[in-house]
Amino acid sequence: MRKRHNVEADVAIIGGGTAGLNSAMAAAEAGCSVLVVDKANIVRSGAIAGGIDHFFAYMDTGEPWDTREAYLGWAGRVARGAADLEVQEAVYCDELKAALERVERIGVSLRQPDGKVFRTAALGQPGPYAINFDGKLLKPKMAMEVKRRKCKVVNRVQVTKLYLHDGHFAGLTGFNIRNGDFYRIRAKAIVIATGNTNRMFNAQVGNPFNLWYCPANTGDLHRAAFDAGVALANMEYVRMTIVPKGFSAPGFNAFFGMGAQLVNSLGEPFVQNYHEMGNKAPRNWVVWGALQELKAGRGPIYMDCRHLKAKELEHLFFTLGIDKDTLPEFFRARGYAKDGAMIEMTVSEPMQARPSELCGSGIRIDKTCASNVPGIFAAGDASDQMGCLHMATAGGFAAGKHAAAYAKKRVSLLPLDSKAAEEEEDRVFRPLGRKAGISYREFETIVRAVCTDHFGPVKTEVSLKAALDKLGRLDAARGDLRADNMHELMRTHEAMNIHAVSKISATAALERRESRFIPYHYRADYPQTDDANYCGLVVIQEQPDGGITTRLDKLRYAA
């Protein structure tokens, strides 16, 4: 028999990844009661659950590239049309120094064993912004800090709905994915920090849970926020990277930081044929070059590590293992742990996410990390202006600080509509009562097939409209989804959220009639970048009558 829980807090944090935990630290520091809700366990959840090895930062060392102004100039070049620099300066630059100090203070050194900071350059950086460090324990250290600050944590709860009262945030509901307990939570403010949307496209290894990025990020709060009238931005982009063939894993920065270069099957370095910075180009151009080489029949492609000796490869493999423990063993089993290694690579599966390391994809935020709905704030990959560890750490804290300030101004909690909560509880558990129906696996597989075929790295008006038609026809099947246990119930709701976000993404992509950050948004019918008409954010929002509107928030840059 499932239990019902009524919980109250000044600030609720949804998502216990990097951004969420930094938000919790900030809200607690401001004197608020804080509740963290996570679908997994905050000790090892989110995009850096297994660890991370780099943190992008300018450090004011005196070099011309190592300043706030140079960083913002870089952001304006490589994230042009997606990065709102006024927001970036407020949520990242103003918070950066404190963020670096906070990482060290909770017990994770950003230095090498000799005490020095080791930095490398890639991804279009004008200088070595990437601080390389051993972040294997960063996530559990952040979790310990949140608990030390007396934040209440509810693990294993999937949030299903947000509630407003007179247009202001009032609360949320969710269920425990293990025992089915149902939660009604009231809070004065909320920070949404639940990442991006994965499992929308076919995985290069065939397993939808073996992905480059966290497979538990399924757009749960993108969908819930959208249903509540929250505006989203940068939703049209699909993000890819270069990964080892047969093993989806991070590693882009580590490979290039060690001086590896991508070559085709002729042994020719090729990225410079597509971008003047070659292997140090922004990620999207490296991916675009790889796709073109494979399309031209010059694959397979390799990371050329022939300049590295076996001892140096061991260091590289250790670094890569910080993110995924089993990747070094995979490399050794493939025979790559030797002098003269050529490591076969490929292009990863797409995911619905930010087009650059310097922005995000999701809830449209302002300089206080606030959405258009009073009381709803966002951080990390769930927002449109934060991505990667550096922004999740700095911006997450900013979001928690502003959410706490908002909560302190509210005299009392707003009421949560009891009837609406009862209806939501019935909706959430309805798939468990069906004796026949469609499994989440079948439903999700069809969604992936439609997305992969119609709006992966290449799309057109015809393909996008066809995708929306097919995804729309799946609406009727949602009422036939069944689950035999709590795990399947969680997966069923994830599948429905992936389906909902895929429609949002296709709708936004249809609106952007240009190509930008190719191949992350490549319209074959509009192959050129059109700064005159589309240098800005496509903002998509559901209206009270159920209609969906889009607009372009233009962005301006110094050059």
Side-chain angles (χ1 to χ4, degrees):
M1 184 81 180
R2 63 174 178 263
K3 298 178 181 178
R4 294 178 177 85
H5 302 266
N6 293 296
V7 186
E8 296 179 352
D10 292 326
V11 179
I13 313 291
I14 312 305
T18 299
L21 295 188
N22 278 275
S23 293
M25 293 178 207
E29 188 174 292
C32 288
S33 61
V34 180
L35 173 70
V36 181
V37 182
D38 194 85
K39 190 165 63 175
N41 186 305
I42 66 167
V43 175
R44 285 291 187 187
S45 63
I48 69 159
I52 193 166
D53 65 356
H54 60 279
F55 189 115
F56 298 140
Y58 61 88
M59 300 185 73
D60 292 313
T61 58
E63 295 290 339
W65 54 266
D66 207 15
T67 65
R68 174 188 291 232
E69 293 73 22
Y71 176 89
L72 290 171
W74 172 47
R77 290 191 302 276
V78 303
R80 189 180 186 90
D84 185 331
L85 297 187
E86 289 187 0
V87 175
Q88 299 279 324
E89 189 162 17
V91 305
Y92 172 65
C93 297
D94 289 354
E95 295 285 343
L96 174 58
K97 184 178 179 181
L100 293 170
E101 292 171 352
R102 190 164 57 254
V103 170
E104 297 260 5
R105 191 168 61 249
I106 65 174
V108 177
S109 176
L110 292 170
R111 301 174 183 275
Q112 299 299 305
D114 61 5
K116 296 179 181 179
V117 175
F118 180 63
R119 304 167 80 187
T120 60
L123 303 166
Q125 297 166 6
Y129 284 142
I131 300 172
N132 289 88
F133 74 108
D134 184 351
K136 191 68 179 175
L137 296 178
L138 179 55
K139 193 63 186 26
K141 290 283 188 179
M142 288 190 292
M144 289 173 61
E145 179 65 14
V146 164
K147 292 176 180 177
R148 186 187 72 79
R149 295 186 185 218
K150 309 300 183 186
C151 299
K152 183 173 182 178
V153 177
V154 178
N155 289 314
R156 309 293 181 190
V157 168
Q158 183 173 14
V159 172
T160 65
K161 188 176 176 66
L162 304 180
Y163 299 82
L164 308 183
H165 179 78
D166 291 337
H168 292 69
F169 172 74
L172 58 112
T173 50
F175 70 100
N176 185 292
I177 63 174
R178 294 286 176 82
N179 60 27
D181 284 2
F182 194 73
Y183 284 78
R184 297 184 185 186
I185 297 168
R186 292 200 300 158
K188 295 176 181 177
I190 184 176
V191 178
I192 294 172
T194 48
N196 64 308
T197 308
N198 292 310
R199 304 206 323 252
M200 268 177 61
F201 298 89
N202 289 336
Q204 66 106 356
V205 296
N207 180 350
F209 293 90
N210 186 358
L211 305 176
W212 164 40
Y213 229 56
C214 178
N217 292 352
T218 52
D220 300 350
L221 268 295
H222 282 68
R223 190 275 307 160
F226 188 74
D227 287 352
V230 175
L232 308 181
N234 283 341
M235 293 298 293
E236 64 270 33
Y237 296 108
V238 296
R239 182 172 173 81
M240 293 165 282
T241 192
I242 305 296
V243 295
K245 184 70 176 289
F247 197 117
S248 283
F252 193 102
N253 192 70
F255 275 117
F256 288 132
M258 292 288 289
Q261 62 178 341
L262 274 174
V263 300
N264 60 24
S265 61
L266 299 173
E268 301 167 338
F270 61 81
V271 183
Q272 58 264 38
N273 297 332
Y274 303 94
H275 194 281
E276 65 271 13
M277 294 187 74
N279 291 309
K280 293 181 185 268
R283 191 190 303 263
N284 64 296
W285 284 106
V286 180
V287 173
W288 177 251
L291 286 171
Q292 299 315 298
E293 292 298 300
L294 293 169
K295 182 179 177 182
R298 291 188 289 272
I301 59 172
Y302 298 88
M303 277 290 182
D304 184 354
C305 298
R306 286 176 290 186
H307 68 293
L308 298 178
K309 299 300 181 184
K311 187 175 180 180
E312 294 171 312
L313 279 173
E314 281 298 313
H315 174 75
L316 172 63
F317 292 175
F318 167 78
T319 302
L320 293 169
I322 290 173
D323 277 318
K324 273 198 177 180
D325 293 299
T326 53
L327 182 56
E329 291 305 315
F330 173 82
F331 280 158
R332 294 186 185 98
R334 288 289 181 99
Y336 293 141
K338 61 185 180 183
D339 292 352
M342 294 273 282
I343 300 176
E344 187 174 352
M345 309 293 285
T346 191
V347 176
S348 74
E349 65 284 331
M351 59 181 181
Q352 189 289 308
R354 61 186 185 269
S356 168
E357 281 68 25
L358 303 178
C359 61
S361 173
I363 294 169
R364 177 76 173 110
I365 60 171
D366 64 13
K367 291 191 288 186
T368 67
C369 305
S371 73
N372 60 299
V373 175
I376 297 181
F377 298 77
D381 282 328
S383 75
D384 74 322
Q385 292 302 314
M386 298 183 208
C388 292
L389 177 66
H390 63 302
M391 302 193 83
T393 303
F397 198 88
K401 183 166 60 177
H402 291 298
Y406 176 91
K408 284 186 168 185
K409 292 178 182 177
R410 297 209 64 87
V411 176
S412 60
L413 296 165
L414 295 175
L416 193 154
D417 188 324
S418 294
K419 182 179 179 182
E422 289 172 6
E423 290 173 350
E424 177 66 3
E425 183 175 0
D426 178 67
R427 183 193 73 85
V428 165
F429 292 102
R430 202 173 296 151
L432 280 175
R434 295 194 179 102
K435 296 182 178 179
I438 302 168
S439 74
Y440 78 87
R441 294 183 183 86
E442 181 181 357
F443 183 84
E444 196 176 306
T445 297
I446 294 170
V447 172
R448 270 194 292 277
V450 172
C451 294
T452 301
D453 290 347
H454 292 77
F455 60 100
V458 180
K459 53 188 73 74
T460 66
E461 182 173 346
V462 170
S463 74
L464 288 165
K465 286 183 175 178
L468 287 167
D469 175 63
K470 293 176 182 179
L471 292 168
R473 281 188 271 155
L474 284 176
D475 288 348
R478 293 166 66 98
D480 294 325
L481 288 168
R482 66 182 294 268
D484 291 336
N485 52 55
M486 292 307 305
H487 178 76
E488 289 189 2
L489 183 65
M490 175 193 70
R491 295 292 186 221
T492 297
H493 286 287
E494 288 182 336
M496 288 192 286
N497 291 331
I498 293 167
H499 173 237
V501 174
S502 68
K503 292 195 290 183
I504 294 169
S505 181
T507 301
L510 188 62
E511 183 65 23
R512 185 176 286 280
R513 297 177 181 87
E514 62 151 4
S515 293
R516 188 173 292 270
F517 305 105
I518 59 171
Y520 297 166
H521 178 75
Y522 180 63
R523 286 283 299 262
D525 46 354
Y526 296 97
Q528 302 302 316
T529 299
D530 182 0
D531 274 342
N533 294 302
Y534 288 100
C535 187
L537 304 167
V538 171
V539 179
I540 183 167
Q541 185 176 0
E542 184 174 298
Q543 300 301 316
D545 63 1
I548 295 174
T549 60
T550 59
R551 69 174 192 268
L552 185 79
D553 284 358
K554 288 200 169 185
L555 298 172
R556 290 175 174 79
Y557 302 90

